[in-house]
Amino acid sequence: MDVFSQLAAGFAVALTPQNLMWCLVGTTLGTAIGVLPGLGPALTIALLLPITFKVEPTAAFILFAGIYYGAMYGGSTTSILLNTPGESATIVTALEGNKMARSGRAGAALATSAIGSFVAGTIGTIGITFLAPVVVTFALKFGPPEYFALMILAFVTVSAVLGSSAVRGLISLFFGFYLGMIGVDLQTGQARFTMGVPELLDGINVIIVAVGLFAVAETFYVAARRYAGKDEILPLKGSLYMTREEWSRSWKPWIRGTLLGFPIGAMPAGGAEIPTFLSYWIEKKLSKHKGEFGTTGAIEGVAGPEAANNASAAGVLVPMLTLGLPTSATAAIMLSAFQSYGINPGPLLFESQASLVWGLIASLFIANVLLIFLNLPLVGLWVRVLKIPAPLLYAGILVFATIGTYGISNSVVDLVLLYILGIIGFLMRRFDFPAAPVIIGMILGPLAEQNFRQAMTVSNGDWSIFFSSTLSITLYVVAIIGLIGPKIWAFYHFVRLSRLPSPSGEA
């Protein structure tokens, strides 16, 4: 079937009453989560994993995708009205959006943000529709050595990008790798790292790790660093209908932001932070109203970065669905959700689970339409959500996490593991170790081991098989550049600055 036929089949799946309901629940919940500062789609999906354990896979992923897209929309409301970005990708929105709100133009800032998110989300989803099959066709040519090289590239890029330090990222990654190794080795039948605990022979469920590191750890962290002050929520002023001038100042940044966000988000080391900051920089350079930036708030500084943020969210789904590579914390949690259903994202996913994948892609189009209606007319409702006391919110998260985890296997050992991982996650957060590489290491580590063993079996133990194809060598070179490239660039920049004459004219 061609792309259009597959997409039409996907709409037939997504438009069933049951899946439409899950899409509406996901987008509503995602918007609420995006509005609440400190929470994010990764934590929410992690929290819902045990609860949705018995939901049909297609419905569950439509729910998760709705949460993912909804959180991207909702994050802008907090940034604009509260000046508290829910995620790093919405920091730029707060720069200009909050200043617009303080100048009495909160309505215009929210409108350009929501419409820009709709434009970028729709174009980004079209990008997934047509780019994903191309990537799959290419990826089907991979053998075990190429897959192993791809895993190495994924380990390096995600651990280096998701944390402030490559070393801390790699330590988190190897911790996840260790967790993934626990259990009986299927090839030799030997128990590994089980410490004599029979419940560990089947390994640790990735859902427990995700809930422990994200939901429980976040609750401990918030409780330990309870903010004593009170945030100021700006009143919603100004019409939600943009003027003709505001439309003319917004549409080009929406397009430019989308064109930046989608390809960068689709790259293995992409993410949402780079395109949003790049979009802000470009809009500031191109704007005819430079005086508004940083003072009264420029609408271009909200429109462009918000579009880039949402387009990158769509781009992140391309490597996750086609190659099984997560390039953000949310993608890592969604990957663990696939694992919990016994589904391995990758090139074969489009053949083995075509109904699920195309239903998911079609639901993204529907989610975008739902979100534009949920965000603009109901913005007053979302402002009220901001007034929920944090202790009640996080106590509820802890209760949900505990009940959901116990419901997976009714095992007390799982609950003990949940809270041990919660404490480890709290310490990681306290000392600035990223949690997402742990999930990635836990999922991709065993896959890398499996491909390594298959390649060695095929070559009768000849190590040169890992460097026998141009594709493998290219992937290793890119991985090395990803690991040491930023250091070389920083050193070059330092040497260049040190050679510049000092302002006083001294040598």
Side-chain angles (χ1 to χ4, degrees), residues 42-43 46 172 175-176 179 206-219 221 333 417-429 433-440 442:
L43 185 153
S172 297
F175 176 55
L179 292 176
V206 72
I207 294 176
I208 296 171
V209 179
V211 176
L213 291 182
F214 282 86
V216 178
E218 182 67 22
T219 306
Y221 186 77
I333 300 295
L417 277 174
L418 175 75
Y419 280 89
I420 290 174
L421 288 164
I423 294 169
I424 292 172
F426 164 72
L427 293 174
M428 289 175 69
R429 180 85 189 271
F433 283 80
V438 177
I439 305 295
I440 294 168
M442 190 175 179

Side-chain angles (χ1 to χ4, degrees), residues 288-481:
K288 295 176 182 174
H289 305 85
K290 291 185 174 63
E292 292 183 6
F293 278 85
T295 54
T296 57
I299 198 166
E300 296 92 338
V302 179
E306 265 304 301
N309 181 22
N310 280 268
S312 71
V316 161
L317 295 177
V318 175
M320 191 197 77
L321 291 173
T322 58
L323 300 173
L325 293 184
T327 56
S328 72
T330 310
I333 300 295
M334 288 183 75
L335 199 67
S336 67
F338 275 105
Q339 291 263 313
S340 69
Y341 281 103
I343 301 171
N344 285 323
L348 295 178
L349 182 69
F350 279 72
E351 293 181 3
S352 61
Q353 299 285 340
S355 172
L356 187 154
V357 174
W358 288 103
L360 177 65
I361 292 173
S363 76
L364 295 176
F365 285 104
I366 298 167
N368 260 310
V369 177
L370 289 175
L371 282 165
I372 196 78
F373 289 106
L374 280 174
N375 274 266
L376 281 180
L378 300 181
V379 67
L381 174 67
W382 305 123
V383 173
R384 290 184 187 175
V385 171
L386 282 168
K387 296 177 181 174
I388 295 176
L392 291 180
L393 182 68
Y394 283 94
I397 288 174
L398 209 56
V399 170
F400 268 111
T402 306
I403 295 173
T405 302
Y406 188 73
I408 294 175
S409 57
N410 298 331
S411 167
V412 177
V413 174
D414 283 352
L415 285 184
V416 174
L417 277 174
L418 175 75
Y419 280 89
I420 290 174
L421 288 164
I423 294 169
I424 292 172
F426 164 72
L427 293 174
M428 289 175 69
R429 180 85 189 271
R430 171 68 180 79
F431 295 103
D432 200 21
F433 283 80
V438 177
I439 305 295
I440 294 168
M442 190 175 179
I443 295 171
L444 297 188
L447 288 176
E449 183 195 22
Q450 181 186 349
N451 282 292
F452 176 83
R453 284 177 162 180
Q454 285 179 354
M456 292 298 284
T457 304
V458 169
S459 67
N460 290 321
D462 184 0
W463 289 79
S464 65
I465 191 171
F466 294 107
F467 307 97
S468 60
S469 72
T470 307
L471 185 56
S472 297
I473 294 171
T474 306
L475 291 170
Y476 288 128
V477 169
V478 174
I480 292 169
I481 292 173

Side-chain angles (χ1 to χ4, degrees), residues 147-180:
Y147 258 114
F148 180 73
L150 186 66
M151 296 294 143
I152 297 296
L153 173 63
F155 289 154
V156 170
T157 53
V158 297
S159 58
V161 170
L162 293 178
S164 56
S165 160
V167 175
R168 291 194 183 102
L170 286 171
I171 291 173
S172 297
L173 183 76
F174 281 107
F175 176 55
F177 200 176
Y178 163 75
L179 292 176

Side-chain angles (χ1 to χ4, degrees), residues 96 187 267 307:
E96 298 302 320
Q187 285 199 358
M267 291 177 187

Side-chain angles (χ1 to χ4, degrees), residues 61-380:
F61 285 104
I62 287 175
L63 171 73
F64 295 152
I67 292 172
Y68 185 37
Y69 266 32
M72 295 296 140
Y73 274 69
S76 60
T77 305
T78 318
S79 300
I80 292 167
L81 297 181
L82 199 62
N83 198 23
T84 306
E87 288 207 331
S88 55
T90 54
I91 290 173
V92 182
T93 307
L95 289 178
E96 298 302 320
N98 188 253
K99 288 188 170 54
M100 285 182 71
R102 290 183 183 280
S103 306
R105 294 188 294 151
L110 289 166
T112 193
S113 168
I115 299 169
S117 298
F118 171 75
V119 171
T122 305
I123 296 175
T125 309
I126 293 172
I128 298 173
T129 306
F130 290 96
L131 182 61
V134 177
V135 178
V136 166
T137 306
F138 174 70
L140 283 172
K141 298 174 182 173
F142 283 25
E146 288 78 16
Y147 258 114
F148 180 73
L150 186 66
M151 296 294 143
I152 297 296
L153 173 63
F155 289 154
V156 170
T157 53
V158 297
S159 58
V161 170
L162 293 178
S164 56
S165 160
V167 175
R168 291 194 183 102
L170 286 171
I171 291 173
S172 297
L173 183 76
F174 281 107
F175 176 55
F177 200 176
Y178 163 75
L179 292 176
M181 292 294 107
I182 293 175
V184 173
D185 178 10
L186 295 179
Q187 285 199 358
T188 63
Q190 296 293 315
R192 300 191 296 193
F193 311 118
T194 58
M195 296 173 285
V197 179
E199 286 82 356
L200 294 181
L201 289 172
D202 290 334
I204 298 178
N205 193 320
V206 72
I207 294 176
I208 296 171
V209 179
V211 176
L213 291 182
F214 282 86
V216 178
E218 182 67 22
T219 306
F220 289 166
Y221 186 77
V222 170
R225 298 171 66 87
R226 176 82 180 104
Y227 176 49
K230 191 174 181 181
D231 291 318
E232 178 194 3
I233 304 172
L234 296 177
L236 182 61
K237 292 181 181 175
S239 171
L240 287 172
Y241 295 100
M242 292 195 297
T243 62
R244 177 176 291 186
E245 186 196 355
E246 286 165 343
W247 276 97
S248 69
R249 288 176 61 181
S250 293
W251 74 270
K252 288 180 182 174
W254 292 338
I255 302 299
R256 281 193 289 264
T258 304
L259 295 178
L260 277 174
F262 182 75
I264 295 178
M267 291 177 187
E273 292 82 3
I274 296 172
T276 51
F277 279 96
L278 200 57
S279 171
Y280 181 74
W281 179 79
I282 289 173
E283 297 310 327
K284 197 173 179 180
K285 285 282 181 188
L286 296 178
S287 175
K288 295 176 182 174
H289 305 85
K290 291 185 174 63
E292 292 183 6
F293 278 85
T295 54
T296 57
I299 198 166
E300 296 92 338
V302 179
E306 265 304 301
N309 181 22
N310 280 268
S312 71
V316 161
L317 295 177
V318 175
M320 191 197 77
L321 291 173
T322 58
L323 300 173
L325 293 184
T327 56
S328 72
T330 310
I333 300 295
M334 288 183 75
L335 199 67
S336 67
F338 275 105
Q339 291 263 313
S340 69
Y341 281 103
I343 301 171
N344 285 323
L348 295 178
L349 182 69
F350 279 72
E351 293 181 3
S352 61
Q353 299 285 340
S355 172
L356 187 154
V357 174
W358 288 103
L360 177 65
I361 292 173
S363 76
L364 295 176
F365 285 104
I366 298 167
N368 260 310
V369 177
L370 289 175
L371 282 165
I372 196 78
F373 289 106
L374 280 174
N375 274 266
L376 281 180
L378 300 181
V379 67

